[in-house]
Amino acid sequence: MTTKTALIWLIDDNEIDNFIAASVIKRLPDSPEVIAFTDPQSALTVLGNILSNSLRLPNIILLDVNMPKLSGFEFADRLKELPFGDTIPDIYMLSSS
């Protein structure tokens, strides 16, 4: 039986923070797959089309709280509006440069 590796989405408007977080996550056991977004609206668009395009849902979403266009809290509210949104855990990240 084959098992799929975990799929983790990172959503942070800072590319450096995404790079650092992805580097750490990829060192975890079983090397989870990481997809990073710098625009939360783009991530919502992908999620909105995920079932019709037979794409894989993320196992977890790590998102920045402070983003200029759409905050992490607003993203989470919109995520929960999707039919499968309440099945994806979301964890908030904070960083300061």
Side-chain angles (χ1 to χ4, degrees):
M1 169 165 61
T2 60
T3 59
K4 292 182 181 178
T5 60
L7 176 58
I8 299 173
W9 279 20
L10 297 174
I11 304 172
D12 191 323
D13 60 314
N14 186 315
E15 289 183 28
I16 294 171
D17 290 344
N18 271 340
F19 176 79
I20 292 168
S23 297
V24 171
I25 291 168
K26 289 177 181 179
R27 292 180 185 208
L28 293 171
D30 297 327
S31 301
E33 181 181 352
V34 177
I35 297 176
F37 294 87
T38 55
D39 176 23
Q41 188 58 53
S42 295
L44 281 172
T45 300
V46 172
L47 281 169
N49 296 316
I50 209 159
L51 296 179
S52 61
N53 292 323
S54 300
L55 300 173
R56 207 167 128 212
L57 286 172
N59 296 94
I60 192 165
I61 298 175
L62 304 176
L63 63 148
D64 184 15
V65 171
N66 298 314
M67 293 183 281
K69 295 178 185 174
L70 188 68
S71 78
F73 298 119
E74 293 167 323
F75 177 90
D77 288 342
R78 293 191 188 173
L79 172 64
K80 302 306 179 214
E81 293 172 2
L82 296 171
F84 50 79
D86 60 349
T87 65
I88 305 170
D90 49 303
I91 296 177
Y92 301 101
M93 301 185 298
L94 293 171
S95 65
S96 63
S97 308

